[in-house]
Amino acid sequence: MRSTPTILATAAAALAALALAACGSSESGSSTATGSASVLSTAGYQSPATESLSGKRGGTLVVLQESDFEHLDPGITYAALDYPVVFATQRPLYSNKPNSTEPTPDMAASAPEVSADNKTVTVHLKEGIHFSPPVNREVTSEDVAYAIERGLNPNVANPYIKTYFNSLEGIEQGNGGPIKGIETPNKHEIVFHLDESKGSFVAEALVLPLTAAVPKEYAEKFDKNKPSNYASYEVATGPYMLKNNAEGKVLGIGYVPGKSATLVRNPNWNPATDFRPAYLNEIAIKLGGSEPVIDRQVLEGTNIVQNEPVPQSGVRLAAEHYKDQMDISPGGGNRYIAVDNKVGPFANIDLRKALWAATDRDALDRARGGELVGTVATHFIYPTIAGFEQAGGAKGLKVDYNEHPEGDMAVAEKYIKLAGYPSGKYTGSKPIQVVGASSPPEKEDSEIVNQTLKNMGFNTKLTLVEISTMYAKYCGVPKEEIDVCPNVGWIADFADPQTVLNVTFNGKSIEPTGNVNYGQTDDPKINAAMTAGETVVGRQARATAWAKIDDELVEQAAAIPFDWEKTPRLEGKDVHGVAMIWNEGAWDYSFTSLK
Amino acid sequence: MSARSVEVLPSDAALEFLDFGGDVARSPLQLFWRRLRQDRVALVSLGFIVFLIVIAIAAPLVVGALGLPGPDVQNLNLTDAFGSPLGPSLAHPFGVDPLGEDVMSRVIYGTRVALEVGIIGTLISTIIGVAVGMLAGFYRGVTDTLLSRLMDVVLSIPILLLGLGLAAACSVHGCAKGLIQPGLGTIIFIIALATWPYVARIVRGLVLSMREREFVEASRALGASNTRIMFREILPNLTAPIIVYASLLIPTNILFEAALSFLGVGIRPPTASWGQMIAAASPIFTTAWWYMVFPGAALVLTVLAFNLLGDGLQDALNPRNAR
């Protein structure tokens, strides 16, 4: 899971084995995101799912961006805001087209080959891909090997390598030097040897930017620094590069922290090797300012876009006056009310169902900004992720507590009675702990949930803290025994349904700190289904298997999903912006063009 | 106030009055009231504060009489398609907040929190301050040194940071085995802790000079105990400066509560607090100005009223200190 402005927890738990049919099958190039029309529909606004990918060549795009980048080094980057620059400059082995959540070979020449025992993954590289100046030479498999190896260098410290590549032979000993399990038989072939049958899982993870080639002889000296300053000198393989000088220095030239970043064309990029059209000549990113002001500048300006979550005022301004300058992307993750399945009143399944029934999901979504930024959720696998349709699509599982998005106290009372409270109101006197975030819209959602709990008879203690504190100190720490976290969410790193459900609801993934199984769901039946689901092969079969687990979670009312997020972005009058449906609707600079 | 204390009240006050009216038979309270009555600004402020107190006490009645919903009645139907709250209307004169809660109702209930914190917090810090100040000033020596250093130590604590820290650390489970819980109690405690040394310093200074005065010596010669001297001789003479200082402390404390609530560590929602409303309103000011303007105005007017009344009291009680 990537860190985003609203979700800061990282998956500390290692993901278990995942057997997948080789990704990047022949139809992947033309595939589009998963989701029924109603949920993917964006009420007449542009959507990356339907956006035309053609455009006019040339011009400079100005990007106004309030926040600075976290990391532009392909080995470290893990934030939605960094990805637009990273994916315009770097080519991982596989990438997502902006309108797709299924990978396309990028640096790779073809789909990965997974051995029959699921323990070896072989990838062939395209020929004729060169690094940008000053390195200039052709990319080889050793550069990909080094890119992954350096992820274990403590000076680089990639945040997810141990989660997705933990089955690589010798990864435990890795410290930046060669990893035993990565072999490069020739210049255009790389082989991953695993000590467990997780080949398909590793194959799927090759879409992560960690697999973007890094030239060892050039980067090594920077990686010796603590922390590595390769980003200040980084070279590109994509259509664009951060502007640099003859020595390759980017810092202060193509990237001035807190001020600007400038992407120019990579002279060594060969369009014949890439699916990216790269219409723009230059992307000038200006850092700083304030989002509400930026929104106005963008909507009234030309050649200009913003690239961060749009506050309510901006969505409203665009909807009322600049309707065709807003692009709304579905698939921005799910949001749900986490309830403690292990300790306290919500260990009782009927009380969980009662809360589900009583929750006014319409109101929660309204407080988040209404239909343009979210859809009422009825289960956990969200639109654009495989398995969404199989899990019931927009309607979800047909159970009485899931049928009334506006909340139904009668159904709630039925379940409260089933839980052993004959009056239909909860009568336990011990106050329950509710911890939410203090910033809008999480603040509003927390207060709505708090009120719902009170209406059900609970004596609540609501505390609102900073969102990072909420995850780090309370909702992610089981021993704090927080009964209700009204506003947690999850965004998958790639579109396999396992990445949505496994760490978040698998009993095996519960951690003492940094826990992301917020409700400590630990149901033997669900755990077993997940273990089986990890080894299912084939995209369709996997979608079905994990959709069943999703159904099971709904039947258990493991948590109460209320929102599938949509993310709007704003563009200037003459910009044909193309957003990445797989990356929270951030603009794809390699596909965006000027009209 | 005893007749004897007339002679030790600022004697100019009595003289001034003598010159003025030629009637010596008035008590200090009467003198004070006569002077305050002439201060229109202070009177209006006093009237406003009385009005606030009535509103705070009778909040449910006031809200009911105005036909407004309760302060924590959520109604998301009062937000538009973008989730923005609707503005002032006949049914909701101050508009609603993003949860559809009535802003006027919340402003009215917010008066309770503001006054509770302002008045109770000030009362506690004044009692502690007077006690410590009297002990330090009366006994002098080691007692004075110890207490004065204690005041210095407390004054050196960055109190907003302490408040932030305490409230953050004790926010969910409470601290000191649940003794310190976030919310009104903790806020009042922090405020009392932060402000008593100011009162104590002033009192100490006054007591230091007063204990040398003739009436104290006379009392001592008559065999009065220390306690009697402190409470029967000195304390009545401190009334005027204490009232003035306390009246100026109240608005400071109200602002302090607003600041803590603004920073998210004060009053817990859904309890209405002006500071918290202003904080919640700031990100949506461009779409919902009423959410900030009305609680902001309530805060400004209240603080202004207490400050102006404090000035008036100072003038009325200490006419020598021409400002």
Side-chain angles (χ1 to χ4, degrees), chain A residues 336-343 346-347 352 355 453 482-485 518-521 557-560:
Chain A
Y336 51 94
I337 306 167
V339 289
D340 195 334
N341 285 212
K342 199 174 166 194
V343 185
F346 293 107
R352 297 200 297 267
L355 176 58
L453 288 164
I482 307 304
D483 296 288
V484 181
C485 287
Y518 304 109
Q520 296 188 76
T521 304
I560 294 98

Side-chain angles (χ1 to χ4, degrees), chain B residues 230-247:
Chain B
M230 273 195 279
F231 286 97
R232 299 301 296 272
E233 308 293 338
I234 296 178
L235 186 58
N237 290 295
L238 296 174
T239 316
I242 290 171
I243 287 175
V244 169
Y245 197 75
S247 68

Side-chain angles (χ1 to χ4, degrees), chain B:
Chain B
M1 214 172 265
S2 68
R4 187 170 44 207
S5 54
V6 174
E7 61 188 70
V8 294
L9 250 190
S11 51
D12 292 12
L15 283 173
E16 177 197 78
F17 188 73
L18 273 175
D19 296 346
F20 208 73
D23 184 351
V24 262
R26 286 178 199 265
S27 76
L29 198 63
Q30 286 171 309
L31 292 173
F32 155 74
W33 177 240
R34 247 184 109 103
R35 276 193 296 268
L36 188 66
R37 225 169 34 186
Q38 287 158 6
D39 187 344
R40 290 239 176 93
V41 175
L43 274 187
V44 170
S45 301
L46 183 65
F48 184 71
I49 289 164
V50 170
F51 170 71
L52 281 182
I53 292 172
V54 171
I55 282 200
I57 293 170
L61 295 176
V62 175
V63 167
L66 292 170
L68 302 172
D72 47 12
V73 175
Q74 299 169 357
N75 183 357
L76 269 293
N77 292 328
L78 295 174
T79 59
D80 67 14
F82 305 99
S84 299
L86 300 183
S89 63
L90 271 180
H92 305 280
F94 290 2
V96 299
D97 71 8
L99 290 169
E101 297 167 329
D102 186 87
V103 171
M104 188 174 195
S105 181
R106 288 182 76 73
V107 168
I108 289 173
Y109 272 83
T111 315
R112 289 186 156 184
V113 168
L115 292 188
E116 271 170 336
V117 169
I119 293 173
I120 299 176
T122 305
L123 207 64
I124 295 174
S125 66
T126 307
I127 290 170
I128 300 174
V130 169
V132 174
M134 283 218 301
L135 287 176
F138 189 80
Y139 287 106
R140 298 190 298 191
V142 181
T143 316
D144 184 25
T145 310
L146 286 176
L147 291 176
S148 295
R149 290 303 78 77
L150 178 67
M151 291 176 218
D152 292 343
V153 168
V154 174
L155 286 176
S156 69
I157 298 173
I159 208 68
L160 201 60
L161 284 184
L162 174 78
L164 275 171
L166 255 185
C170 309
S171 61
V172 173
H173 298 295
C175 289
K177 295 196 172 143
L179 202 65
I180 304 176
Q181 291 283 348
L184 197 60
T186 309
I187 297 277
I188 291 176
F189 169 76
I190 293 171
I191 284 175
L193 181 75
T195 48
W196 70 262
Y198 294 103
V199 183
R201 277 188 160 187
I202 289 170
V203 170
R204 173 184 168 272
L206 290 169
V207 173
L208 269 178
S209 73
M210 214 173 277
R211 73 189 298 282
E212 308 298 337
R213 300 278 282 271
E214 298 83 350
F215 70 95
V216 173
E217 274 179 27
S219 193
R220 188 167 282 140
L222 286 168
S225 69
N226 283 343
T227 322
R228 189 189 159 83
I229 295 173
M230 273 195 279
F231 286 97
R232 299 301 296 272
E233 308 293 338
I234 296 178
L235 186 58
N237 290 295
L238 296 174
T239 316
I242 290 171
I243 287 175
V244 169
Y245 197 75
S247 68
L248 293 173
L249 209 52
I250 289 172
T252 317
N253 291 349
I254 291 176
L255 283 177
F256 193 70
E257 183 275 316
L260 283 177
S261 292
F262 182 87
L263 293 168
V265 293
I267 304 302
R268 252 176 215 273
T271 307
S273 144
W274 295 340
Q276 195 195 82
M277 292 171 83
I278 294 169
S282 58
I284 55 164
F285 182 69
T286 48
T287 47
W289 56 267
W290 53 91
Y291 191 24
M292 183 183 283
V293 165
F294 291 111
L299 184 63
V300 168
L301 288 176
T302 306
V303 169
L304 188 67
F306 274 105
N307 273 322
L308 292 175
L309 178 67
D311 282 352
L313 288 177
Q314 176 140 8
D315 294 342
L317 289 167
N318 288 330
R320 261 194 309 190
N321 300 350
R323 292 164 66 87

Side-chain angles (χ1 to χ4, degrees), chain A residues 45 292 312-313 315-316 319-320 360 362-364 366-372 433-435 438 440 443-445 447-452 454 461-465 473-474 479-482, chain B residues 72-74 76-85 97-99 101 106 167-174 181-182 263-265 268-271 276 279-280 283-284 286-288 290-291:
Chain A
Y45 292 89
Q312 205 181 53
S313 59
V315 176
R316 190 183 169 147
E320 283 172 353
D360 184 345
D362 279 337
L364 290 170
R366 182 81 80 90
R368 298 187 70 79
E371 287 173 7
L372 293 183
Q433 294 284 0
V434 184
V435 178
S438 53
K443 173 184 182 290
E444 282 74 25
D445 281 348
E447 289 196 54
I448 293 171
V449 172
N450 186 55
Q451 189 59 48
T452 306
K454 282 182 162 178
K461 238 179 98 181
L462 171 66
T463 311
L464 301 180
V465 294
K473 280 190 68 186
Y474 300 110
K479 78 166 166 44
E480 291 285 335
E481 293 186 3
I482 307 304
Chain B
D72 47 12
V73 175
Q74 299 169 357
L76 269 293
N77 292 328
L78 295 174
T79 59
D80 67 14
F82 305 99
S84 299
D97 71 8
L99 290 169
E101 297 167 329
R106 288 182 76 73
C170 309
S171 61
V172 173
H173 298 295
Q181 291 283 348
L263 293 168
V265 293
R268 252 176 215 273
T271 307
Q276 195 195 82
I284 55 164
T286 48
T287 47
W290 53 91
Y291 191 24

Side-chain angles (χ1 to χ4, degrees), chain A residues 5-56:
Chain A
T6 46
I7 297 170
L8 290 162
T10 21
L15 292 179
L18 158 62
L20 254 189
C23 63
S25 58
S26 58
E27 81 269 7
S28 67
S30 59
S31 66
T32 51
T34 310
S36 60
S38 64
V39 183
L40 290 180
S41 124
T42 48
Y45 292 89
Q46 304 168 64
S47 157
T50 53
E51 191 86 68
S52 149
L53 298 185
S54 56
K56 204 180 81 187

